[in-house]
Amino acid sequence: MLVPIMLLLVGLGTVVFHFVSPWWWTPIASNWGYIDDTIILTFWVTGVVFVGVVLFIAWCTYRYRYQKGKKADYEPENAKLEWWLTILTTIGVAAMLAPGLWVWNDFVTVPEDAAEFEVVAKQWEWTYRFPGKDGKLGTTDAKYINDDNPFGINPKDKNGRDDILIDDGEVHLPINQPVKVLLRSIDVLHDFGIVQFRAKMDMVPGTVTSFWFTPTRIGEFDVLCFELCGVGHYAMRGMVVVDSVSDFQAWLDEQPTFAQSLAEAESDSDKSSNRVFSEASSPDREIAR
Amino acid sequence: MAHAEAHVEGQQHPLGIYFKIWALLFVLSTLSYLVDYYNFEGYLRWTLILLFMFMKAGLIISVFMHMLWERLALVYAIALPTIALMVFVFLMTNEADNTFLLRGIYFLGLGGS
Amino acid sequence: MTDSNTGQVAARTEGMPGIVSDWSSDQRAFKNVPWGKAMMWIFLLSDTFIFSIFLLSYMTVRMSTTIPWPYPSDIFALSFGGEPIPLILIAIMTFILITSSGTMVLAVNYGYRKDRVKTAILLLITAAFGATFVGMQAFEWTKLIVEEGVRPWTNPFGAPQFGSVFFMITGFHGFHVSVGVLFLIIIARKVWRGDYDVGRRGFFTSRKGNYEIVETMGLYWHFVDLVWVFIFAFFYLW
Amino acid sequence: MAYVAPAEVEQIPPAEVEDVELYHAKSWVTKYVFSQDAKVIAIQYSATAIAIGLVGLVLSWLMRLQLGFPELFDFIEPSDYYQFITVHGMIMVIYLLTALFLGGFGNYLIPLMVGARDMVFPYVNMVSYWVYLGAVILLIVSFFVPGGATGAGWTLYPPQAILSGTPGSEGGIILMLVSLALFIIGFTMGGLNYVVTVLQARTRGMTLMRLPLTIWGIFTATVLALLAFPALLVGAVMMTFDKLLGTSFFMPALVEMGVYLDYGGGSPLLFQHLFWFFGHPEVYIVALPAFGIVSDLISVHARRHIFGYRMMVWAIVGIGALSFVVWAHHMYVSGMNPWFGFFFATTTLIIAVPTALKVYNWTLTLWKGNIRFTLPMLFALAFIVTFVNGGITGLFLGNVVVDVPLSDTMFVVAHFHMVMGVAPLLVVFGGIYHWFPLITGRMLHEGMGQFHFWVTFIGAYTIFLPLHYLGFLGVPRRYFEMGETNFIPESAQDLNAFVTVVALTVGVAQIVFFINLFWSLKNGKLAGHNPWKACSLEWRTAHVPPRHGNFDDLPVVYRWAYDYGVPGADEDFIPQDVPPDRVSTGKGEV
Ligand code: HEA
Ligand code: HEA
Ligand code: CUA
Ligand SMILES: [Cu+2]
C-alpha cells in the first residue's frame, strides 16, 4: 500500500508545489511575451503527460500488486495501442514545436527599424558602444586594444571616430524602440542576459553575435553573465536602464565619443607607455576570399 | 557447402584482380597529381579532386579491404554510421561560412551591417 | 539438421534479405567473420570518426579564418637541380603507400594459402615501404621546419592554422603508419617462425593465433592508405 | 516469439564457432589483480567507479554548502567552487556512470546474458581497466598540481579553459585532457570487446531479438561511445596543442587580462560543436544502459513480459541514431548560425517520441502484471517518475525559443540532474540490489535497503524539483554566489539552504547502502539459484556466483528473455534455455 500512496503523493506533490510555489518567473519587460506563452503551452502539454504517467503507475501498483498464485496477463504486443500512443505523442510534440519554431523565426528575424548598439564584454565587466551621428559602428579588432582604446576600435576606420563609448557597466535604452544588440567579447566566452527581457546570447571572441528585442517597461534591469568565464563569472554584473526617449537622448549626449577619448588620452600620453600592442608585431590582416 | 568453411573463413581471390586494382590506383593517383600540376582552378579542380579521391577510396575499400566480397550485413554496418559524419560536415560548412561572414562584416568592414 | 558441432553452414541468402537474415540469426551477425576481423572493422569505424573529425576541424578553421590560406602546392614543391616541381615529394609518398598496400594484399592472400615464407617476406616488404614513407615524412617535416620556418603556431605563408593542421594531421597519420610498421614486423616474425602453423601461444594473451591475423593487419594497413587518400586530396590538393 | 512451438526446436542451428579455450590464471595475481575474467574486471571497474563517484559526491556537498550558505564557509573560494563543479560534473558523467554502466555492468552481464564464456578478447579487456584506472588517478592528481584542477566547467570551453582567468589553467587543464584521452583509449579497448561479444559470440539460439534489453541498452550505448568519443578526443588533442604549442585551433585573436596574445583566427565554436557532438550521445550513453536495465528489472519483478519488446529495441536503436543529430541543442544561445535552431529543435523533439514510447511500455508492463515490491522494483518505479520529470523538462529546453530564457540557469541543472543524476543512478542501485545475489550468492538486507531507497528517492527528488523554479526566476548556473539583484527574492536563498540540507541528508544516507553491501557480503541471506525467478541466462549458470567460463555447457536458447506468465505453463516463468518440450504444463510433459 505504501508504494502506490507514495507515488500518488509525489505526483500530486509536484503539481501542488508548482501551483503554490512563490517562485516563478520575473515579470517580463520586453516584446518576448510569445516565449512565455510557449513555455505555458509546454507546461500544459507535458504537465498532463507527467501527471497521467505517474497516476497510471500509481494505479497499476495498487491494482496489480502481488498476489500469490496469480499470473500476469500475457500479451507481448498490441500494435493498435502502440500506434495510438505514437500518434498522440507525435501530435503532442508537434503542438509544442510548431509554435516554438514560429517564435524562433521572429527571434532571429531582426526588424528593419531596429537600432544597433554593441555590448563589449571582458573579464569581468560590461561596456557598451553606440554608433555616433553617422549611425555606423566602426570596425574593431582585438589587436587594436590598449589602454587608450579598450574597445579595440580600428583607428583608421572613420565610422568609428564618432562612436559613443560607455565604460561603466550601465547602459540606457529608449523604451519601445526595437534594438539589435551586437555582442562582442575581447577575451573569453560571456553571455549577455537580462532575465526580464527573456533573451540572452553568448558573446564569442573572434566573432560578433547578436539578438534583438524591444524593451517595453521603464526601469532598471540587472545584466547577468550566463556563460562561465572564469573565477569572476558570478560577479560580472551590469545594468540596463530603460528610459523614455528624451531621457535616453539626454543621457546619450553626455557620453564621450571615441575621438574625444582618444584626444584625452593623447594629452596625457606618457601615462600609457605600457602599451601591450605594437603595430609591428602583428601584420594587418586581409580577407582571404 | 564445404564443412571446413567454419574454420577457414578468409577471403581468397585470384591475384590478378589485385594487380589490376593496384595499377588503377597508380593511374588515379597520377591523375589527381596532374590536377595540381596543370593548375586547374575553381570548380573543375574541386570536382576532379573529389572524383579521383572517391574512386581511389572506393577501390581500396572494396577490393583491398574485401568489402566487395563481404556480406551486406557487414558492409552496411560500417557504411551507415558515416551518415552522421556527413551531417556534421555539412552543418560545419554553414557554421564556418557564418563565422567568416561575421568576421568580414565586423572586423574587416566588408559589406553592410 | 542436428545439434552437431561440426560447423555445418547452410547456404546463405544474399542481398537485402541477406542483411535481414544475418542480423536476425543467432550466434553471429557477421557470418564468416572471425572475431579479430570484426573487432578491427569496428575499430576502424571509430578511427574513421577520429580522422574525419580532424579533417572537419581543418575545414572549419580554414573556412572561417580571414587570413589567406597558403598554397600547399608551392610549399611542398621540391627542386631537383632546376625548376621546383610542385608536390613531387607528396606524390612519391602516395605511390609508396599504394605500393605497400599492394604488397600487403598479396601477403593476406598468401597467408590464407598458409604460405609461411611468402607471407612473411611480403609483410616485411610492406613494413619496409611503410618505414620509407615515415622516413620521407620526417624529411618533409624537417624541411618545413628548418628551411621554410613553419611552426605549429605560425608560418611565413599565411594563416597560422596551416602549420597547426599540417603537423597535427600528418603527425597523427604518420603515427598510425609507424604503429602499423611495428605490428607488421611482429606479425612477420610470428609468421616466419611458424607460430600460426603450430598454434603457439601469444606471449601476452596466452591464446593461439592463426593466419586470420594477417588479414586483420591488412585491414588496418589499407585503412592507413585510405586515410592518406583523403589527406592528399583535402590538405595537399584543395 | 513467446511460446515457442515444438517445431522450432529443429531450427536451432549448430554452433558456428568452436568453443573458446579459456585462459586459466596461474597465480593469485593473475586471478584477482591482472585478471582476464570479465567478471573480475567488472568488479574492478565498478569498485573504482563507485570510489571516484564518492569523491564526486563529496564535491557536490561542498558545492551545496557554498550555494546554501554563501557567507558561512570562507574556506571555499570562488576558484575552489569552480574546480568542484568541473570535477564533480566530469566524474559523475564519465568516470562514474559511463565506466560503471559499460565497464561494470557491461563486463559482468554481457557474456553471461548472451551465453558466452567470456569477452572475446580478455587480454585487451584487462588492459582496458588498467588504462581506466590510470585516467582516474590522473584526474585525482590534477587536484594537487600547482594551480589545482581545472575550473573550466565540465564542458571545458576554450578560450576560457586555457587562459589565466580560470583556475587550473596552468596544469590542471592539461591533466584533465590527458586523463580524458586515456579514458577514451581504455574505453575503446573495452568497448570493442563488448560490441564484438554481442555481435559475434552469442550462444546457439540467441538471436538479437532474444537478447535481454539490458544487453541492447549496453550494446547500443557502447556503439555510441565508440563513435562519439572520437570528437572529444580530437577536441582534447587540439586544445592541448593550443595550450602547449600555442596553436590557434580554438583561439581567435584575443586579449588576456589586458595582454594581447599571440593567437588568431581560431574558432571557439568549433570546440563547442566537437564537444557536443560527443556530449549529447554521451548523455544517452549513460541513459540507454539504464533504460535497458530498468526494463529487465520491471519485467522480472512485475512477473510480466516486457510490453512491446520489438518497439523497445527499435526505440533504443532509434534514440542512439538520432542522438548524433541533436547535439547543437546545447548551443542554442552560443552564437552559432541562427538557422541551426530550426534543425536542431526539430530533431531534438523528434527524439522524444521513441523515448516516450519506452516510458509507455514500461508502464504497460506494470499494467496487468503481478507486481512484487522488491527493492529493485522500487528503484525501477522511482526511475520512471524521475525520468519522466527530467525528460519533459528536456522538452522545454529542446524547443529552441523556450531554451533562450532557461539556458544556463538552474533550470538546466535541475533538468540534467533529474534525468541523469537521479534517474540512472536509481537504476544503478536497482541493478546492484538485483544482481548482488548473483555476484556474491547472498541477498542484500531488506530493511536497510528500504531505508536507503526511500531517503534516496524522495530526497533526490526534493533536491532537484525546486531548482527548476530557481531557473525560472533567472538564477544562473555556475554561480559561486548569487549576490545582489533587484529581481531575485530573498526566499530564493532559503530555498537554496533547504536544498542543501536535503542534499546532505541524502548523501549521508548512502552510508547505509555501503554498510548494507559489506554486511550482506558475510551475513546476507543465502540467495540460492535464481532468487528472483528470472528468465535470462545469467541466472542459469551451474554455480552461483558463476565461475570462470560462466557455464559448464554453453546453454542453447529457445525463447526470448521475458516468458513470464505464459498461459498454460505451470510456473510463472520459463527460462530462456528451456526447450518447448520441457515446459511443464500441468497436463504432463508435452
Ligand atoms: C541522461 C542524460 C540525459 C538525457 C536522457 C537527456 C534527455 C533530454 N535532454 Fe538533456 N541534458 C543532459 C542530460 C540528459 N538529457 C545534460 C547533462 C545536460 C546539460 C549539459 C551541460 O550543459 O552541462 C542537458 C541539457 C539539455 C539541453 C541544453 C540546455 C541548455 O544548456 O540550454 C537541452 C536542450 O534541448 C536538453 C534536451 C533534452 C531532451 C529533449 C531530452 C529528451 O531525450 C528527453 C526525452 C524524454 C521524455 C520526453 C520523457 C518521457 C516522455 C513522455 C512520458 C511522453 C512525453 C509526452 C509528450 C512529448 C507529449 N538537455
Ligand atoms: C550523474 C551525474 C551527476 C550526479 C549523480 C550528480 C549529483 C549531485 N549533484 Fe551534480 N552535476 C552534474 C552531474 C551530476 N551531479 C553535472 C554534469 C554538473 C555540471 C557541472 C558543470 O556545470 O560544469 C553538475 C553540477 C551540479 C550543480 C550546479 C553547480 C552550479 O552550476 O553552480 C549542483 C548544485 O547544486 C550539483 C549538485 C549535486 C548534488 C547535490 C548531487 C547529489 O548529491 C544528489 C544526491 C546523491 C545521490 C542520489 C546518490 C549519490 C551517490 C553517488 C554519486 C556515488 C555512489 C554510487 C554508487 C554506489 C552507485 N551538481
Ligand atoms: Cu562573463 Cu560569465
Ligand atoms: Cu543533449
Side-chain angles (χ1 to χ4, degrees):
Chain A
M1 245 7 228
L2 179 65
V3 179
I5 292 176
M6 289 306 282
L7 288 173
L8 207 66
L9 282 181
V10 170
L12 295 183
T14 309
V15 177
V16 171
F17 180 81
H18 174 70
F19 285 108
V20 305
S21 109
W23 305 289
W24 190 230
W25 56 40
T26 315
I28 191 168
S30 81
N31 60 320
W32 290 125
Y34 280 139
I35 294 186
D36 286 5
D37 298 344
T38 321
I39 297 185
I40 296 292
L41 174 74
T42 313
F43 244 120
W44 280 105
V45 177
T46 59
V48 167
V49 176
F50 174 74
V51 173
V53 170
V54 175
L55 290 187
F56 184 71
I57 324 180
W59 178 73
C60 283
T61 51
Y62 168 72
R63 172 70 180 71
Y64 301 106
R65 63 193 181 281
Y66 187 71
Q67 283 164 334
K68 216 173 153 63
K70 206 185 98 183
K71 246 191 196 180
D73 183 61
Y74 196 83
E75 188 195 16
E77 282 178 355
N78 181 338
K80 208 167 132 196
L81 180 58
E82 289 174 65
W83 272 114
W84 270 113
L85 290 172
T86 315
I87 292 169
L88 284 179
T89 311
T90 313
I91 294 175
V93 165
M96 293 181 286
L97 180 65
L101 292 185
W102 185 67
V103 180
W104 178 247
N105 192 39
D106 269 2
F107 193 82
V108 297
T109 315
V110 186
E112 293 287 312
D113 60 342
E116 277 186 0
F117 81 103
E118 187 190 52
V119 183
V120 184
K122 61 175 166 241
Q123 285 171 326
W124 289 277
E125 53 196 272
W126 302 101
T127 56
Y128 312 89
R129 179 163 70 120
F130 284 84
K133 300 217 169 46
D134 61 359
K136 286 193 186 115
L137 288 166
T139 55
T140 59
D141 197 315
K143 71 183 177 193
Y144 299 122
I145 293 170
N146 58 42
D147 288 354
D148 302 343
N149 186 0
F151 285 77
I153 299 169
N154 181 353
K156 296 189 206 95
D157 185 346
K158 55 183 185 323
N159 289 340
R161 308 298 292 184
D162 61 350
D163 286 0
I164 297 162
L165 308 181
I166 295 117
D167 215 350
D168 70 351
E170 182 181 304
V171 68
H172 291 229
L173 290 176
I175 190 166
N176 290 334
Q177 160 69 49
V179 280
K180 178 180 181 189
V181 194
L182 298 172
L183 302 163
R184 182 158 65 90
S185 164
I186 63 167
D187 41 34
V188 301
L189 300 170
H190 299 274
D191 186 303
F192 181 76
I194 293 132
V195 171
Q196 291 91 334
F197 295 166
R198 303 286 189 267
K200 64 163 80 78
M201 189 59 73
D202 279 10
M203 22 238 315
V204 184
T207 185
V208 174
T209 57
S210 60
F211 68 87
W212 78 275
F213 69 97
T214 313
T216 54
R217 186 146 63 78
I218 288 182
E220 298 188 346
F221 304 100
D222 283 307
V223 177
L224 304 185
C225 180
F226 279 92
E227 182 67 63
L228 181 53
C229 53
V231 279
H233 168 56
Y234 69 97
M236 184 163 167
R237 296 296 164 83
M239 185 71 79
V240 172
V241 181
V242 177
D243 279 341
S244 66
V245 178
S246 55
D247 286 355
F248 167 73
Q249 204 55 49
W251 169 83
L252 193 65
D253 291 341
E254 283 168 19
Q255 310 301 321
T257 65
F258 180 46
Q260 282 163 358
S261 72
L262 271 189
E264 208 172 294
E266 209 93 309
S267 65
D268 43 20
S269 60
D270 30 16
K271 262 199 261 166
S272 61
S273 55
N274 57 340
R275 287 167 63 108
V276 287
F277 159 77
S278 77
E279 203 72 35
S281 74
S282 80
D284 261 1
R285 287 135 195 223
E286 320 138 30
I287 193 142
R289 289 177 293 177
Chain B
M1 279 230 154
H3 30 145
E5 196 178 283
H7 304 282
V8 185
E9 300 184 300
Q11 302 262 2
Q12 292 206 38
H13 309 287
L15 291 184
I17 182 158
Y18 295 132
F19 286 114
K20 277 180 213 138
I21 299 303
W22 202 349
L24 214 54
L25 284 174
F26 263 84
V27 174
L28 287 171
S29 296
T30 316
L31 287 176
S32 49
Y33 175 68
L34 291 179
V35 171
D36 184 67
Y37 193 82
Y38 289 112
N39 274 323
F40 287 115
E41 291 295 343
Y43 283 107
L44 179 62
R45 178 187 183 92
W46 297 326
T47 322
L48 287 178
I49 293 175
L50 287 182
L51 180 74
F52 296 139
M53 182 188 84
F54 281 123
M55 286 172 76
K56 274 164 75 178
L59 290 177
I60 293 177
I61 297 173
S62 54
V63 180
F64 280 9
M65 297 173 94
H66 293 155
M67 263 306 192
L68 202 55
W69 298 285
E70 295 293 355
R71 296 185 56 75
L72 288 181
L74 177 67
V75 177
Y76 278 78
I78 301 300
L80 287 182
T82 51
I83 295 176
L85 286 173
M86 292 176 209
V87 175
F88 198 4
V89 170
F90 169 70
L91 288 170
M92 286 313 283
T93 54
N94 284 283
E95 183 72 312
D97 266 341
N98 189 46
T99 310
F100 182 76
L101 219 72
L102 291 173
R103 285 178 177 177
I105 295 172
Y106 293 108
F107 298 145
L108 305 170
L110 303 174
S113 54
Chain C
M1 240 179 281
T2 50
D3 286 4
S4 71
N5 218 351
T6 52
Q8 291 241 347
V9 180
R12 301 195 190 287
T13 348
E14 294 297 328
M16 285 294 160
I19 299 183
V20 177
S21 79
D22 282 10
W23 277 95
S24 49
S25 72
D26 68 345
Q27 304 180 50
R28 294 194 287 180
F30 306 140
K31 297 298 171 187
N32 297 352
V33 176
W35 291 348
K37 187 166 139 187
M39 188 145 170
M40 181 52 81
W41 264 118
I42 295 165
F43 169 71
L44 292 182
L45 181 63
S46 183
D47 218 12
T48 304
F49 271 60
I50 295 189
F51 274 110
S52 304
I53 290 170
F54 269 127
L55 288 170
L56 169 141
S57 305
Y58 152 61
M59 175 192 85
T60 309
V61 289
R62 178 166 171 176
M63 283 176 74
S64 44
T65 180
T66 51
I67 306 168
W69 197 259
Y71 197 50
S73 179
D74 294 341
I75 296 169
F76 298 104
L78 212 58
S79 56
F80 300 101
E83 274 288 284
I85 316 174
L87 283 188
I88 186 66
L89 183 67
I90 313 302
I92 297 173
M93 285 164 72
T94 307
F95 288 121
I96 286 181
L97 214 51
I98 292 177
T99 313
S100 79
S101 249
T103 55
M104 184 73 228
V105 83
L106 296 182
V108 174
N109 211 280
Y110 284 111
Y112 275 115
R113 297 173 195 197
K114 301 209 187 310
D115 189 329
R116 194 170 61 79
V117 179
K118 283 210 183 80
T119 309
I121 292 179
L122 281 164
L123 284 173
L124 284 179
I125 297 179
T126 311
F129 278 121
T132 317
F133 178 88
V134 178
M136 294 176 83
Q137 199 162 53
F139 169 77
E140 186 195 351
W141 276 42
T142 321
K143 177 170 169 287
L144 236 57
I145 295 171
V146 177
E147 286 174 26
E148 318 275 3
V150 179
R151 298 287 181 275
W153 54 93
T154 182
N155 67 74
F157 315 110
Q161 282 81 7
F162 172 78
S164 333
V165 169
F166 169 76
F167 288 117
M168 184 177 71
I169 293 186
T170 61
F172 211 72
H173 178 259
F175 172 71
H176 272 71
V177 181
S178 313
V179 172
V181 169
L182 209 71
F183 275 92
L184 280 170
I185 295 173
I186 294 173
I187 292 172
R189 172 160 172 271
K190 292 193 172 196
V191 171
W192 182 259
R193 215 164 45 180
D195 285 12
Y196 302 134
D197 301 314
V198 300
R200 185 173 163 141
R201 286 172 192 282
F203 177 76
F204 286 113
T205 58
S206 312
R207 278 208 181 177
K208 291 178 190 163
N210 62 34
Y211 278 99
E212 279 157 4
I213 189 88
V214 183
E215 186 183 6
T216 309
M217 180 67 223
L219 285 180
Y220 178 84
W221 193 258
H222 298 309
F223 176 75
V224 169
D225 188 12
L226 180 70
V227 170
W228 184 253
V229 170
F230 287 85
I231 296 178
F232 184 56
F234 288 130
F235 191 80
Y236 292 100
L237 295 179
W238 204 260
Chain D
M1 183 185 299
Y3 193 98
V4 184
E8 261 191 67
V9 195
E10 241 66 48
Q11 284 170 15
I12 302 282
E16 288 174 27
V17 214
E18 293 164 69
D19 206 351
V20 288
E21 216 191 311
L22 284 171
Y23 167 78
H24 286 288
K26 293 176 197 68
S27 68
W28 187 85
V29 173
T30 45
K31 192 161 182 185
Y32 294 110
V33 183
F34 294 101
S35 173
Q36 299 194 22
D37 185 337
K39 293 188 292 300
V40 179
I41 299 173
I43 291 169
Q44 293 173 324
Y45 251 114
S46 309
T48 315
I50 292 177
I52 190 76
L54 289 177
V55 175
L57 182 61
V58 171
L59 291 174
S60 84
W61 297 343
L62 294 171
M63 289 147 54
R64 276 317 320 175
L65 285 179
Q66 170 58 34
L67 288 180
F69 309 98
E71 314 287 77
L72 220 56
F73 298 93
D74 14 301
F75 67 93
I76 304 176
E77 300 279 322
S79 59
D80 298 327
Y81 182 77
Y82 289 117
Q83 292 169 329
F84 297 161
I85 63 165
T86 305
V87 181
H88 164 78
M90 204 61 109
I91 285 182
M92 292 299 197
V93 183
I94 294 182
Y95 298 85
L96 168 65
L97 279 188
T98 308
L100 186 55
F101 273 132
L102 304 181
F105 283 89
N107 261 318
Y108 206 94
L109 295 175
I110 290 174
L112 278 165
M113 282 187 156
V114 305
R117 296 209 176 276
D118 203 331
M119 287 289 176
V120 287
F121 292 100
Y123 180 77
V124 182
N125 201 20
M126 173 190 85
V127 179
S128 159
Y129 168 71
W130 292 99
V131 177
Y132 164 66
L133 185 65
V136 169
I137 290 173
L138 264 191
L139 181 76
I140 300 292
V141 167
S142 78
F143 266 107
F144 302 101
V145 296
T150 177
W154 83 286
T155 47
L156 302 179
Y157 284 175
Q160 174 251 130
I162 59 174
L163 294 185
S164 60
T166 302
S169 60
E170 300 92 337
I173 180 71
I174 298 295
L175 285 183
M176 183 78 251
L177 294 170
V178 175
S179 168
L180 282 175
L182 269 188
F183 182 92
I184 295 169
I185 293 167
F187 174 78
T188 306
M189 296 187 202
L192 290 171
N193 257 308
Y194 317 152
V195 172
V196 177
T197 305
V198 173
L199 287 180
Q200 300 294 86
R202 280 167 283 138
T203 189
R204 293 169 56 209
M206 182 60 92
T207 61
L208 289 175
M209 279 300 182
R210 283 177 181 166
L211 284 179
L213 286 168
T214 298
I215 300 302
W216 267 110
I218 294 175
F219 168 73
T220 315
T222 311
V223 174
L224 293 193
L226 287 174
L227 304 183
F229 275 129
L232 179 64
L233 180 71
V234 171
V237 167
M238 296 201 291
M239 207 202 294
T240 313
F241 286 169
D242 278 2
K243 174 74 191 167
L244 292 182
L245 297 180
T247 57
S248 299
F249 291 109
F250 304 132
M251 306 294 282
L254 51 74
V255 169
E256 180 197 41
M257 303 288 161
V259 181
Y260 181 75
L261 295 185
D262 242 347
Y263 288 114
S267 168
L269 281 176
L270 171 61
F271 180 86
Q272 300 187 19
H273 281 291
L274 295 184
F275 185 88
W276 290 116
F277 187 79
F278 145 78
H280 187 82
E282 169 64 31
V283 307
Y284 284 100
I285 291 166
V286 306
L288 291 180
F291 291 175
I293 292 171
V294 84
S295 308
D296 282 3
L297 298 187
I298 292 178
S299 171
V300 173
H301 297 274
R303 310 308 300 156
R304 186 160 190 257
H305 59 75
I306 195 81
F307 185 86
Y309 174 83
R310 280 189 299 169
M311 182 75 100
M312 293 298 255
V313 170
W314 286 111
I316 289 182
V317 175
I319 293 171
L322 279 173
S323 71
F324 279 100
V325 291
V326 301
W327 76 88
H329 66 211
H330 296 271
M331 299 171 61
Y332 287 145
V333 296
S334 69
M336 66 178 176
N337 193 336
W339 78 259
F340 284 11
F342 296 103
F343 176 82
F344 283 103
T346 311
T347 53
T348 301
L349 288 217
I350 288 176
I351 215 172
V353 177
T355 319
L357 286 166
K358 296 193 71 72
V359 173
Y360 303 145
N361 284 354
W362 292 321
T363 61
L364 290 171
T365 303
L366 294 171
W367 183 53
K368 297 190 184 174
N370 193 16
I371 305 167
R372 317 193 66 145
F373 296 119
T374 55
L375 288 166
M377 177 50 110
L378 294 182
F379 279 100
L381 291 171
F383 165 83
I384 301 181
V385 175
T386 49
F387 181 76
V388 172
N389 188 300
I392 55 182
T393 55
L395 295 177
F396 284 69
L397 299 170
N399 202 352
V400 49
V401 81
V402 179
D403 182 62
V404 173
L406 296 178
S407 184
D408 275 306
T409 64
M410 276 297 169
F411 188 89
V412 177
V413 172
H415 156 67
F416 69 72
H417 278 92
M418 201 63 104
V419 80
M420 173 173 78
V422 180
L425 222 88
L426 291 172
V427 175
V428 167
F429 287 127
I432 292 177
Y433 283 100
H434 184 76
W435 281 298
F436 188 83
L438 176 68
I439 299 170
T440 64
R442 288 177 189 271
M443 309 293 281
L444 282 164
H445 187 269
E446 178 77 18
M448 282 193 257
Q450 289 273 350
F451 174 81
H452 173 230
F453 168 73
W454 288 109
V455 176
T456 309
F457 168 43
I458 304 296
Y461 195 79
T462 318
I463 298 173
F464 295 113
L465 184 70
L467 290 190
H468 292 98
Y469 294 84
L470 290 185
F472 278 119
L473 279 177
V475 178
R477 65 190 284 205
R478 295 169 168 173
Y479 261 32
F480 169 70
E481 61 185 9
M482 193 54 238
E484 286 292 304
T485 60
N486 59 20
F487 62 97
I488 296 173
E490 292 282 314
S491 60
Q493 193 47 48
D494 303 339
L495 187 61
N496 251 329
F498 167 74
V499 167
T500 299
V501 173
V502 182
L504 293 176
T505 318
V506 175
V508 172
Q510 305 305 314
I511 295 174
V512 177
F513 172 70
F514 286 96
I515 293 179
N516 196 352
L517 281 188
F518 289 108
W519 184 86
S520 303
L521 216 50
K522 281 258 162 48
N523 312 307
K525 210 165 56 169
L526 282 177
H529 281 74
N530 207 353
W532 309 119
K533 299 189 193 300
C535 293
S536 43
L537 291 181
E538 82 272 25
W539 300 101
R540 307 290 293 168
T541 55
H543 306 274
V544 174
R547 302 210 173 139
H548 188 46
N550 294 348
F551 303 95
D552 284 357
D553 286 318
L554 283 178
V556 177
V557 168
Y558 297 91
R559 58 188 73 242
W560 68 335
Y562 301 100
D563 259 345
Y564 297 98
V566 179
D570 282 350
E571 292 266 6
D572 77 339
F573 74 112
I574 310 174
Q576 281 190 284
D577 58 344
V578 175
D581 52 3
R582 293 285 200 72
V583 179
S584 64
T585 55
K587 298 176 216 111
E589 303 273 295
V590 178

